[in-house]
Amino acid sequence: MSALSDFWQLVTNENMKIYRRPRTWIMLGVLLAITAAVPISIFAFEEGGLSMWMPFQVNTSMSVVLVTVFAVVLSAESVAGEFSSGTIKLLLIRPWSRSKLLLSKYIALLLFALLFMVGMLAWNLGLNALLFGYDGSNEMGSLSALNYFLQTYLFEFITLVVIVTISFLISTVFRSGGLAIGLSIFLLLIGSAISGMLSLLDYAWVKYLLFVNLDLTTYIGGGSSMIEGTSLGFSLAVLAAYYVVFVVITWIVFSKRDVAA
């Protein structure tokens, strides 16, 4: 229990680093302002009869992108920032292994992303229900609207974890926050377009690429991907394999890295 308590203290310290920064609260303010502006604008100009789920869907798309971008920014600087500021040496002289230090940073990032994702789900749901009235009868395909969007947030969070892990990997391996942010956001914004182009290739190996398996929302309600031979289980397995590779590389590099280099 003592070891677990000590480790959780590490995670708490990393959380404090995140939430003590004014930038974190600015990010939250931006999120709340943007996602409030959309339904309020629609409510002001529409003449009635509009279901809450249309503006909620718009809010969901914006929230997912913004939360992912904010999590990427934090993950990119979590390790690279320690190296650039020189504080990594102070961390490593403490009586904790490198693996525990890195894991505490990673868990703090995922907790941040989870908190913001769940928070935006509650905020968007509550705000749109307040403005337009809660509509529990609306359906999207074979699912109720609420069930559909709960699955959407779940699948988007899985994608977020993969992208944040890539950012964390680049930040650790190359010690460059800018590179980590750039490549991760490129993957987030351009990945679907690349996936669409790759789907035109008639090669069996295409379905094993990371890009074509990132969008899990295509499987909601029994849907299918553009790539033949894929399924929800298959895409999850591919993402899990990439995830393990990313994590292993990150931990090996950080454990063996010369801090003075």
Side-chain angles (χ1 to χ4, degrees):
M1 290 296 294
S2 178
L4 181 60
S5 176
D6 289 343
F7 175 72
W8 187 248
Q9 184 60 46
L10 273 177
V11 177
T12 302
N13 291 341
E14 292 300 325
N15 274 319
M16 291 173 63
K17 290 181 183 179
I18 293 175
Y19 297 108
R20 279 179 176 174
R21 296 173 180 173
R23 179 178 56 191
T24 301
W25 300 104
I26 293 173
M27 290 178 182
L28 178 59
V30 169
L31 267 173
L32 296 179
I34 292 178
T35 52
V38 172
I40 290 175
S41 299
I42 295 175
F43 179 78
F45 292 103
E46 69 93 21
E47 297 181 354
L50 181 68
S51 171
M52 63 168 283
W53 298 111
M54 190 279 281
F56 182 84
Q57 186 170 23
V58 177
N59 272 11
T60 294
S61 299
M62 292 191 302
S63 298
V64 167
V65 171
L66 290 174
V67 170
T68 304
V69 169
F70 294 158
V72 162
V73 170
L74 288 178
S75 66
E77 296 186 356
S78 61
V79 177
E82 301 282 9
F83 276 101
S84 61
S85 64
T87 53
I88 188 66
K89 296 180 181 179
L90 299 177
L91 288 176
L92 295 181
I93 62 175
R94 296 179 179 180
W96 296 302
S97 67
R98 291 192 177 199
S99 294
K100 287 184 177 180
L101 287 170
L102 194 63
L103 182 60
S104 66
K105 287 181 174 294
Y106 185 65
I107 290 178
L109 287 169
L110 294 187
L111 289 175
F112 166 85
L114 179 61
L115 176 62
F116 267 51
M117 191 71 88
V118 172
M120 292 313 300
L121 169 60
W123 166 256
N124 291 331
L125 191 62
L127 181 61
N128 284 281
L130 178 65
L131 291 174
F132 302 98
Y134 181 75
D135 181 8
S137 62
N138 200 297
E139 294 186 352
M140 303 192 71
S142 60
L143 301 174
S144 67
L146 179 60
N147 191 3
Y148 177 89
F149 283 111
L150 287 176
Q151 291 189 42
T152 298
Y153 272 86
L154 173 61
F155 289 160
E156 291 288 10
F157 182 72
I158 294 174
T159 301
L160 180 152
V161 169
V162 175
I163 294 176
V164 167
T165 303
I166 294 173
S167 176
F168 196 68
L169 163 69
I170 298 172
S171 172
T172 303
V173 173
F174 298 101
R175 295 183 293 183
S176 171
L179 180 63
I181 294 171
L183 290 180
S184 300
I185 293 180
F186 172 83
L187 179 62
L188 172 65
L189 301 180
I190 310 298
S192 58
I194 295 177
S195 175
M197 291 186 291
L198 291 175
S199 67
L200 302 176
L201 301 178
D202 189 21
Y203 295 109
W205 52 263
V206 169
K207 65 181 181 181
Y208 296 103
L209 296 177
L210 177 65
F211 292 106
V212 301
N213 292 285
L214 275 176
D215 187 9
L216 298 175
T217 59
T218 58
Y219 299 113
I220 296 177
S224 59
S225 170
M226 295 182 295
I227 308 297
E228 185 178 354
T230 61
S231 63
L232 176 58
F234 178 86
S235 291
L236 286 173
V238 171
L239 291 180
Y242 276 103
Y243 177 82
V244 170
V245 172
F246 296 152
V247 169
V248 168
I249 293 174
T250 303
W251 257 256
I252 290 177
V253 170
F254 187 74
S255 297
K256 297 183 179 296
R257 164 145 284 161
D258 183 2
V259 175

